[in-house]
Amino acid sequence: MRLCAEEALRLACAAGFEAAALLPVQVLDYRPNAEAERQRITGDPRALLPQAKSVLVLAAPFVWFSQWPENSAEVSAFYFASNRTYRAMRGLADDLRAQGALVDDSQRIPAKRFAALSGFGAQGRNSLLSTAAWGTCVTLHTLITDLEPQAEPITPPTVDEACGSCRRCVEACPGSALNGHGGLDPERCVRAWQFSGRIMPEALRAANGTRLLGCEICQRVCPKNARLPQTPPEAEPFEIERLLRFDKAARARIGACIGTNEARPARVLAQAAIAAGNGGDRALRPLLVALCAHENPIVSAHARWAVKKLD
């Protein structure tokens, strides 16, 4: 028996997603920025699954972290949640395949755009999807399928309709990465440089602070997020000293929290060096000096900068 839309949505709910919609496949007028181009994001789902009939849009909220301990390198709560929901999305894709559906789960279509078309929320000046219930604290995933669609797309609000005259995120962005119309320049964005595989420009290293992954400034100042709950961070694996001594055990712990892809040693060490430089703890200087000779040029460059900053 052919899997129906209602059953697909039931499976999505069972997988832990609080919102799901099965939209008819369509080609978006989508102009990717440089980061999206590196990720090979396309506005045409059929470029990834020629037999596609629908896009299953999945959303789940998460809770922000409160203040991190001084000796830790902060990671946005989004990455903990995204790691969990990514695994849930992959499990859901396997369930759909087991019932005869064709599925592409590569996450290479613009999820925020499809979520807005689903009526989940609207994209604001910070380029993120803002929802009525969860603000911008939401993870999004998409599955391209050959299932019959269940819902019709809506016309989402424009950026001006969603945000009115508010420009707090634009004014607060440390790299001036937001253009005020919902677009983001990844060359100016602190988050886009983290774990990018490139040496972060010096002008953005101080703005990075002691963050390991994530920024959140544009979200923290957004009025739509003003009353969202917070929870203490899962900080144990992310002490800066432990990150600078990175080993297999540390990689396993961090990978369990935010995903093995984000726990690549060079990525973690490079960002930990910036966090150490901005943290100001001179007791970490010997560890940074040792990293100045690291074989990875990004790690060594960031470590030299951090040593100079501590001195």
Side-chain angles (χ1 to χ4, degrees):
M1 182 176 176
R2 178 68 175 169
L3 185 67
C4 66
E6 288 75 15
E7 178 63 12
L9 295 174
R10 188 195 67 78
L11 289 172
C13 180
F17 294 99
E18 295 208 19
L22 200 59
L23 293 182
V25 72
Q26 60 180 295
V27 180
L28 300 184
D29 179 14
Y30 177 66
R31 295 174 178 83
N33 61 27
E35 185 177 22
E37 285 182 349
R38 284 193 293 270
Q39 297 172 356
R40 296 181 297 150
I41 306 297
T42 175
D44 182 5
R46 287 199 177 100
L48 303 172
L49 184 69
Q51 305 94 325
K53 294 181 181 179
S54 60
V55 174
L56 179 56
V57 188
L58 306 163
F62 64 91
V63 178
W64 256 341
F65 287 148
S66 54
Q67 187 172 0
W68 283 69
E70 286 187 7
N71 63 342
S72 295
E74 303 100 42
V75 179
S76 296
F78 166 82
Y79 295 97
F80 290 77
S82 182
N83 182 43
R84 291 191 292 267
T85 55
Y86 178 82
R87 293 197 300 266
M89 175 274 298
R90 294 294 298 271
L92 173 60
D94 289 342
D95 289 343
L96 295 177
R97 293 187 185 106
Q99 299 198 40
L102 296 177
V103 180
D104 176 273
D105 59 4
S106 63
Q107 308 307 292
R108 287 176 48 206
I109 57 176
K112 289 178 288 189
R113 290 282 299 276
F114 277 100
L117 291 169
S118 301
F120 293 175
Q123 283 188 262
R125 298 195 197 283
N126 60 8
S127 83
L128 301 174
L129 186 87
S130 178
T131 67
W134 314 318
T136 58
C137 287
V138 58
T139 65
L140 300 170
H141 299 283
T142 57
L143 295 176
I144 306 169
T145 82
D146 68 340
L147 300 175
E148 295 297 331
Q150 178 259 0
E152 288 298 322
I154 69 161
T155 300
T158 66
V159 169
D160 288 335
E161 290 170 340
C163 297
S165 61
C166 181
R167 294 177 57 87
R168 293 185 189 180
C169 59
V170 177
E171 295 162 358
C173 178
S176 299
L178 301 172
N179 65 11
H181 306 291
L184 179 146
D185 180 356
E187 293 302 305
R188 295 173 175 265
C189 175
V190 169
R191 165 59 195 101
W193 280 94
Q194 297 167 347
F195 289 17
S196 67
R198 299 183 293 165
I199 296 174
M200 183 182 288
E202 287 198 29
L204 292 179
R205 293 177 204 170
N208 182 87
T210 56
R211 301 176 185 90
L212 183 73
L213 184 59
C215 178
E216 292 185 350
I217 290 175
C218 65
Q219 300 180 73
R220 294 280 181 174
V221 301
C222 178
K224 297 178 181 179
N225 293 329
R227 294 178 177 83
L228 294 181
Q230 299 186 44
T231 189
E234 303 172 41
E236 187 275 329
F238 297 100
E239 293 90 346
I240 295 176
E241 180 176 359
R242 181 176 296 186
L243 296 177
L244 294 176
R245 300 180 186 275
F246 201 70
D247 56 22
K248 290 183 178 179
R251 183 177 186 183
R253 287 193 296 271
I254 293 171
C257 292
I258 60 174
T260 55
N261 190 49
E262 308 294 13
R264 296 179 190 179
R267 289 183 171 187
V268 171
L269 287 171
Q271 274 301 113
I274 293 178
N278 286 323
D281 184 357
R282 285 184 54 81
L284 300 179
R285 190 180 185 282
L287 294 173
L288 290 166
V289 170
L291 289 177
C292 289
H294 196 277
E295 62 183 3
N296 185 286
I298 306 168
V299 175
S300 58
H302 289 181
R304 288 192 297 271
W305 174 87
V307 170
K308 185 181 297 185
K309 196 167 189 347
L310 289 180
D311 288 343

